[in-house]
Amino acid sequence: MSKNIILARYKEEVSWINRNINSFDKFYLFDKDGVPEINPHEKIVYEYLPNIGREAHTYLHFIVKYYDELVDDDIYIFSQANPSDSNPGFFKRCANLSLNNEFPVYMGSHL
């Protein structure tokens, strides 16, 4: 199982990614503004997208592009900007996140 975060960025600050690089297996950063100031890292997948369709366009782009690579036991979190801005402790809770324990509590019982 891997934990991945898919980020839709326009002008948001993203230096928090490098500070939390060990919280996820991969950061997919889709940027609609230009190259953000971020240190390159093997866990960061960067792609520039045209500025259309808001964050929903970004999430759909990810699903279509990576559809054949998506697996049932991976966790994907879709976010715009820093998720801990509106959810303090987000990265700490993600450290132990798994499909068998906290995930259904956070995402509902439809899993």
Side-chain angles (χ1 to χ4, degrees):
M1 180 192 79
S2 65
K3 295 179 280 188
N4 307 284
I5 189 162
I6 294 80
L7 300 165
R9 177 190 182 270
Y10 177 58
K11 292 186 180 278
E12 297 87 2
E13 187 272 324
V14 290
S15 64
W16 59 269
I17 293 174
N18 289 110
R19 291 191 303 272
N20 295 284
I21 201 72
N22 292 321
S23 297
F24 290 90
D25 295 294
K26 262 202 186 143
F27 287 82
Y28 292 88
L29 177 58
F30 294 96
D31 187 17
K32 294 187 175 189
D33 181 45
V35 179
E37 297 202 11
I38 189 165
N39 295 327
H41 194 280
E42 63 187 19
K43 289 185 174 186
I44 300 172
V45 177
Y46 176 86
E47 183 176 342
Y48 175 78
L49 293 176
N51 186 20
I52 58 172
R54 302 188 50 124
E55 67 273 11
H57 168 263
T58 303
Y59 305 149
L60 182 59
H61 172 82
F62 170 82
I63 292 167
V64 170
K65 181 174 182 173
Y66 293 98
Y67 185 81
D68 291 332
E69 299 174 32
L70 302 178
V71 294
D72 289 342
D73 63 347
D74 280 1
I75 295 173
Y76 298 92
I77 298 172
F78 294 82
S79 180
Q80 181 180 10
N82 186 343
S84 67
D85 286 347
S86 59
N87 189 351
F90 173 81
F91 293 104
K92 184 177 180 181
R93 284 191 295 279
C94 285
N96 296 315
L97 191 63
S98 77
L99 288 173
N100 296 325
N101 55 29
E102 290 114 308
F103 193 67
V105 172
Y106 291 127
M107 302 308 287
S109 60
H110 63 279
L111 297 175

